[in-house]
Amino acid sequence: MGPPKNAARTISQEAFDEVVKENMEDLGMDPTEALEDAIQTLTLQGVDLSGIVTCVPGEGSVKDNPVLQCLDRLSQLNSSPNSQIGDEVVDLLDKLTELCKAEGSGNAAIASRNGGVEIVCSICSKIEIGCERAVFLALRALASLLHDLQSREAFRASGGPKILVGILTDGFENIDIVSSGFSVVAAAATSNEVIKELFMELKIDELILRVLSVKREVSIESLYDAIRVLLTPDDNRVLASQVYGYARNFAKIGIAGALVESVRAGLSSSSLVSASIALKAVAVNDEICTSIAENGGIDAVLLCIDDSSEQGNKTVAKVCCSLLCKLAGSDTNKNAIVEKKGMDRLMKLSSRFFDDPSILQEIMAVISVLSLRSPDNAAIAIEAGAGELALQAMQKFPAAQQMQRNSCLMIRNLVSRNAANRTILLNSGIEKHIRMAKQNHVSCKEAATDALRDLGLDDYNM
């Protein structure tokens, strides 16, 4: 693992304050001007000022910053002999969280730069099992602090993963602790391969399955977010992520099946979107996709698609189409989806949301996968109206690059092994719109060229 690429230069609080002081003493600037110049000059030099307390000299000092005051007092209480987690610590943790969550304040960076993660991790390690409110607030504060590589590394160096898994295990019966705990898992594991590995070594997957199995009646959105993050290869410092193996292990112990149950709850569940995204993250190979179908996953997703159409829920429509597209990667699942009238249900969805190209492009992606290497499915798609969908959508949304590209990819799969479909689509006038997409959007050039070629046009490369 190497250092992050293009890492920004940093500066200490003392060095920053010295720059401001020099502007005043050597250049004769007034305090406000000296501060503004220091910020502007250092920013232009590529210095990362996040976590730096910027205050006008004479109007306040670094020590007056409420975040630092909060941390100083927490540190005092935490380091005192025979320290106990009393009401003052609880209030300070609550205050720290609110300060760090203040949008645009930069307070989370100030806190983590000044030892906030280490202090809260230490407090977490000392809280007794019965102090449930203190545990909840400490975890909430920790989640608000973990926002970048440095804060996550501080969490790792402080033994955060082991402390957190211990708290989740001991506080399993408390929903607030479980919810806030998995928020920390998601925040800590984001873009950090080492922390993902540490959580897996600590059997976080077994804990996730336990929560999914025992607490089915409760919707814990942070749990699904944690699954997604743990299975996302988002650390650009590593060449080969291990998350593919983690996903296979998740499926092996039963998490995929448990997630199907979460999706089966449908639109009545506030966590449907998060659960669907989590299930998609687990579905990394043909075997897992097939097992999801065997557990009723395809039926559950198609039902959610139907309901999203009836209820006008665009977010669910997009997410469930994306999940269905992933499941359709299995040839066995393709046939099952088609047999369950999947093409007709997708076309109904396209009619309901024809005003939204972001949904249409997801529908096209599903049809494209269903038609890949399957002339029979391609014929069924055309009968259901996929050709008209491509034509009308490309006409109506010429500027929607991704939709135009997905339409070209869908057209290619509809015609590549089905000569009858070529005739139908060429007669519809689709060629003009494919060429327009190729001309207007660089991202469409290759897909449009392939579509024109598979339509049997000799001048496809023009």
Side-chain angles (χ1 to χ4, degrees):
M1 182 180 293
K5 298 178 181 178
N6 302 320
R9 297 165 58 196
T10 58
I11 189 172
S12 67
Q13 183 70 53
E14 293 75 14
F16 176 82
D17 293 340
E18 188 62 29
V19 172
V20 177
K21 182 180 178 182
E22 289 176 358
N23 281 345
M24 294 171 62
E25 295 180 352
D26 298 345
L27 301 178
M29 297 181 182
D30 63 51
T32 301
E33 183 183 10
L35 176 63
E36 292 175 350
D37 181 81
I39 294 173
Q40 182 178 13
T41 301
L42 292 169
T43 301
L44 289 173
Q45 292 175 359
V47 177
D48 180 12
L49 296 179
S50 60
I52 295 295
V53 178
T54 57
C55 54
V56 178
E59 297 182 12
S61 70
V62 172
K63 293 182 179 180
D64 295 329
N65 183 275
V67 175
L68 297 186
Q69 291 179 339
C70 187
L71 289 176
D72 286 344
R73 184 57 182 154
L74 278 172
S75 181
Q76 291 172 13
L77 294 170
N78 183 53
S79 59
S80 63
N82 301 318
S83 60
Q84 292 184 339
I85 309 303
D87 292 342
E88 186 178 1
V89 172
V90 170
D91 291 341
L92 286 167
L93 289 170
D94 196 21
K95 180 180 179 181
L96 179 63
T97 302
E98 296 310 311
L99 286 169
C100 290
K101 284 186 173 181
E103 191 171 351
S105 67
N107 285 338
I110 292 173
S112 60
R113 188 171 185 136
N114 287 277
V117 174
E118 292 88 343
I119 293 170
V120 177
C121 280
S122 177
I123 291 172
C124 285
S125 69
K126 298 177 180 179
I127 300 177
E128 296 180 0
I129 298 174
C131 303
E132 294 184 340
R133 176 166 169 74
V135 174
F136 164 64
L137 290 174
L139 293 176
R140 211 165 63 104
L142 197 50
S144 71
L145 288 168
L146 300 174
H147 69 286
D148 63 2
L149 175 62
Q150 286 70 34
S151 57
R152 293 176 185 118
E153 284 300 298
F155 174 78
R156 179 186 63 78
S158 300
K162 185 174 182 179
I163 293 169
L164 178 58
V165 171
I167 289 173
L168 283 169
T169 302
D170 293 338
F172 183 80
E173 297 303 324
N174 186 299
I175 294 299
D176 289 335
I177 290 176
V178 172
S179 179
S180 57
F182 278 106
S183 292
V184 178
V185 172
T190 297
S191 302
N192 198 304
E193 186 76 14
V194 175
I195 290 180
K196 294 182 204 287
E197 183 177 0
L198 288 172
F199 277 130
M200 290 301 294
E201 290 174 355
L202 291 164
K203 309 291 186 183
I204 194 73
D205 50 344
E206 295 178 6
L207 189 55
I208 288 171
L209 178 61
R210 185 182 170 201
V211 175
L212 287 171
S213 302
V214 176
K215 300 189 180 297
R216 288 182 180 178
E217 74 285 354
V218 182
S219 182
I220 306 176
E221 190 159 347
S222 62
L223 175 70
Y224 304 116
D225 292 339
I227 295 171
R228 171 184 56 80
V229 171
L230 288 167
L231 302 184
T232 300
D234 54 359
D235 191 337
N236 60 15
R237 300 172 298 162
V238 298
L239 296 177
S241 175
Q242 301 298 312
V243 299
Y244 178 78
Y246 301 159
R248 287 187 298 170
N249 199 61
F250 273 43
K252 181 179 179 180
I253 68 173
I255 290 177
L259 286 171
V260 170
E261 293 301 315
S262 297
V263 173
R264 189 175 277 121
L267 273 70
S268 63
S269 169
S270 61
S271 298
L272 173 60
V273 170
S274 296
S276 299
I277 294 171
L279 183 56
K280 180 183 175 184
V282 177
V284 296
N285 61 27
D286 188 273
E287 180 183 357
I288 297 172
C289 288
T290 302
S291 71
I292 289 171
E294 291 171 350
N295 280 292
I298 289 176
D299 291 320
V301 175
L302 286 173
L303 184 58
C304 287
I305 286 175
D306 293 342
D307 291 344
S308 71
S309 178
E310 292 178 8
Q311 298 183 28
N313 193 317
K314 292 185 175 184
T315 303
V316 170
K318 282 190 278 191
V319 168
C320 286
C321 279
S322 180
L323 173 55
L324 188 65
C325 188
K326 190 74 171 287
L327 298 178
S330 160
D331 287 339
T332 302
N333 287 356
K334 284 180 190 176
N335 295 332
I337 292 168
V338 173
E339 289 171 3
K340 296 174 186 296
K341 306 295 182 183
M343 294 290 191
D344 292 330
R345 295 160 91 164
L346 289 169
M347 294 313 302
K348 181 181 178 182
L349 187 69
S350 71
S351 298
R352 178 67 174 85
F353 295 119
F354 193 73
D355 62 333
D356 192 333
S358 69
I359 296 178
L360 298 182
Q361 71 192 32
E362 297 294 341
I363 294 171
M364 291 172 176
V366 181
I367 295 174
S368 181
V369 173
L370 292 174
S371 303
L372 180 64
R373 299 187 304 273
S374 178
D376 291 339
N377 287 351
I380 293 171
I382 287 293
E383 291 174 7
E388 290 88 343
L389 170 63
L391 179 65
Q392 293 173 17
M394 294 183 86
Q395 285 177 329
K396 185 171 182 177
F397 302 106
Q401 295 187 36
Q402 188 59 50
M403 191 216 71
Q404 292 281 330
R405 182 175 183 274
N406 282 12
S407 185
C408 291
L409 292 171
M410 179 180 74
I411 290 166
R412 180 190 179 189
N413 287 353
L414 289 173
V415 303
S416 62
R417 300 192 182 191
N418 191 309
N421 283 357
R422 291 179 205 143
T423 302
I424 293 171
L425 286 171
L426 284 172
N427 289 341
S428 73
I430 198 71
E431 177 187 354
K432 175 179 68 175
H433 300 289
I434 298 173
R435 292 192 182 279
M436 190 176 298
K438 181 179 180 179
Q439 178 181 341
N440 293 341
H441 306 300
V442 174
S443 62
C444 293
K445 185 174 181 180
E446 183 177 349
T449 299
D450 291 342
L452 292 169
R453 181 197 63 218
D454 287 356
L455 277 166
L457 300 169
D458 292 333
D459 57 349
Y460 64 87
N461 217 16
M462 293 179 59

